[in-house]
Amino acid sequence: EDQVTQSPEALRLQEGESSSLNCSYTVSGLRGLFWYRQDPGKGPEFLFTLYSAGEEKEKERLKATLTKKESFLHITAPKPEDSATYLCAAPNQAGTALIFGKGTTLSVSS
Amino acid sequence: DTEVTQTPKHLVMGMTNKKSLKCEQHMGHRAMYWYKQKAKKPPELMFVYSYEKLSINESVPSRFSPECPNSSLLNLHLHALQPEDSALYLCASSQDARGATDTQYFGPGTRLTVL
């Protein structure tokens, strides 16, 4: 069964305390892995698309990596404004729809 | 520019009302999507339009009726909704219409409350 699982469900960090969010998937023949940030009551904001194992992408304090089984979103020296829910998603095996993980809610305190 | 716009931002309606949600993109994207998102849950796909034609309907009740008048516009017509239909309704678009393998860009959503 196609599945995307994110961990942890919630993460509390102090400002400047780096950490990583995990997204594991069981989709055969992965054709893309997407990371989004979502603030409460708003639509998901696109962060990264990864297509190949070994691929890495960076944006400000965020870096996304992809292996054959999972993806990580590394957050370096986070700030309170990085507080949000981070969603990862992958196309199902048929490629017709995105399967979303349940998200990781990140809280960064100053 | 990767902007998808949605109107209205908020909508309150009774169970006998008829209302419509509107979505617009001017990026030349060939696929457009409607999602429903309940609190603390990930988005759930409702409909996919590919080249202005309905390509996927995820067994959505007929009280939700999508429409794609042209390549830039997507509507969701609502009629006889139930309180459990209250949610954040998200529109998204992607350049590639071949499926879910291309990046989808989401709008800000419409917060719908059904009384």
Side-chain angles (χ1 to χ4, degrees), chain B residues 4 11 18 27 57 64 72-73 81 88-89 99-101 103 106 108:
Chain B
V4 176
L11 179 63
K18 286 184 180 181
M27 298 176 280
N57 176 341
F64 294 91
S72 300
L73 282 176
L81 294 192
L88 182 67
Y89 287 83
T101 57
T103 300
F106 286 82

Side-chain angles (χ1 to χ4, degrees), chain A residues 86-109:
Chain A
Y86 291 85
L87 295 166
C88 80
N92 59 13
Q93 191 169 1
T96 55
L98 281 180
I99 306 169
F100 282 88
K102 293 183 178 179
T104 293
T105 299
L106 173 66
S107 299
V108 181
S109 55

Side-chain angles (χ1 to χ4, degrees), chain A residues 31-32 34 36 38 40-46 48-49 51 87 90-92 95-98 100-103, chain B residues 33 35 37 40-45 48 56 58 88 90 98-109 111:
Chain A
R31 287 177 284 174
F34 306 93
Y36 292 89
Q38 187 171 27
K42 297 190 176 181
E45 174 191 348
F46 169 69
F48 303 108
T49 299
Y51 283 110
L87 295 166
N92 59 13
T96 55
L98 281 180
F100 282 88
K102 293 183 178 179
Chain B
Y33 311 78
Y35 287 85
Q37 186 176 26
K40 299 191 183 300
K41 299 285 187 182
E44 299 174 22
L45 183 64
V48 180
I56 293 177
E58 291 285 358
L88 182 67
L90 296 163
R98 289 175 293 175
T101 57
D102 193 21
T103 300
Q104 295 183 23
Y105 297 92
F106 286 82
R111 170 67 62 190

Side-chain angles (χ1 to χ4, degrees), chain B residues 6-11 21 87-90 108-112:
Chain B
Q6 290 186 244
T7 55
K9 290 184 179 179
H10 303 276
L11 179 63
L21 309 184
L88 182 67
Y89 287 83
L90 296 163
T110 293
R111 170 67 62 190
L112 174 67

